[in-house]
Amino acid sequence: MGKGRKVRADKKQEVQPWLSIELRNCIHRLSFITGEAVKNVGEAICVSGICNKKVISYLSQNFKRDIRIDNTLYFGDLNRISVKKRAAAGLNKPISIRFNSQTYELISVLAFALDCTPSLACALLLDASVRDVDFVNDFVESHLKKNIDEKQMSELKKVLKYVNANNPYEETISWARLLSYMVSEAKVGVDKVQDTVTDFIVNNWKK
């Protein structure tokens, strides 16, 4: 008697950040082209961003309190305009993300510095992180490596190298853009990354 249910040590904490339509759509697009659940994409974005000095330095412009993350001290200023006032008007719909205790603690530290709730801190972190082109590129490349074999990955690298070397528009084609194109060109019914890549290589590259 009196004993409650034991809480798992690895139990995840749910956060429901409210996002702008544009940011929400961006995360859903990444979910669509990779086939990953929205909550997993959101978690990956936050995990990457919370450890990225470039992202945290950008967010630190809004810090009202001092914090230390990964041995870097960020100074706050109580006179800064509250992010709660600036963010409220643009937020539209929530998504649900679950974090392990370590990541949730870091988001809570970020919320303390920003003087806002963890859900708003999470929304701001998502927005800042997903704007990092390197993150999006690395995320999609990592996803491809996990879901296709070495031969397919080798062929895709050749495609990417060729397209970028012969691009007359002075653009750099990223992994994200390439995968998005492959998904849009895939035959109806092809919903696995492996099949999408195979279909693309056979029909568009190996001719």
Side-chain angles (χ1 to χ4, degrees):
M1 293 293 291
K3 289 185 178 180
R5 295 176 61 184
K6 185 179 289 187
V7 178
R8 287 172 46 188
D10 61 346
K11 182 180 179 181
K12 290 194 170 185
Q13 177 74 45
E14 184 178 27
V15 178
Q16 293 187 322
W18 284 72
L19 311 178
S20 66
I21 293 176
E22 293 80 7
L23 176 55
R24 193 170 182 273
N25 287 345
C26 180
I27 294 172
H28 275 265
R29 286 190 194 101
L30 279 175
S31 170
F32 175 74
I33 67 172
T34 60
E36 290 280 353
V38 169
K39 62 179 182 179
N40 294 338
V41 174
E43 181 183 11
I45 294 171
C46 289
V47 168
S48 172
I50 202 71
C51 298
N52 188 325
K53 286 189 176 182
K54 181 167 61 174
V55 170
I56 300 302
S57 293
Y58 169 74
L59 290 173
S60 69
Q61 300 173 72
N62 300 305
F63 286 177
K64 295 176 77 68
R65 301 188 181 102
D66 302 345
I67 60 166
R68 184 186 297 275
I69 296 181
D70 285 341
N71 295 319
T72 300
L73 180 63
Y74 298 91
F75 294 100
D77 184 346
L78 290 172
N79 294 317
R80 286 174 176 152
I81 299 174
S82 172
V83 292
K84 290 179 280 191
K85 293 181 180 179
R86 286 183 290 178
L91 303 184
N92 189 273
K93 289 185 177 181
I95 63 172
S96 178
I97 309 174
R98 298 175 70 83
F99 297 105
N100 61 34
S101 57
Q102 183 179 8
T103 303
Y104 182 76
E105 179 63 29
L106 288 172
I107 291 175
S108 296
V109 170
L110 187 64
F112 173 79
L114 291 165
D115 188 29
C116 67
T117 63
S119 61
L120 179 52
C122 182
L124 296 171
L125 179 61
L126 283 166
D127 183 64
S129 302
V130 84
R131 293 174 189 272
D132 180 8
V133 176
D134 291 335
F135 161 74
V136 175
N137 205 42
D138 291 346
F139 175 72
V140 173
E141 182 181 5
S142 175
H143 177 79
L144 283 169
K145 285 180 178 178
K146 288 188 296 184
N147 287 278
I148 64 177
D149 59 38
E150 291 184 13
K151 186 176 180 181
Q152 289 175 312
M153 194 66 191
S154 177
E155 291 297 325
L156 285 186
K157 286 180 178 177
K158 291 176 186 176
V159 173
L160 206 59
K161 182 178 181 180
Y162 174 81
V163 172
N164 283 322
N166 297 276
N167 193 318
Y169 309 110
E170 297 183 356
E171 298 176 313
T172 299
I173 306 302
S174 65
W175 283 109
R177 189 168 175 182
L178 178 61
L179 181 55
S180 180
Y181 176 76
M182 286 191 290
V183 170
S184 68
E185 291 293 305
K187 293 183 294 187
V188 175
V190 175
D191 57 358
K192 291 183 179 180
V193 174
Q194 299 97 320
D195 296 338
T196 298
V197 172
T198 299
D199 183 64
F200 173 79
I201 292 173
V202 170
N203 294 309
N204 296 279
W205 185 244
K206 287 191 170 182
K207 291 185 177 180

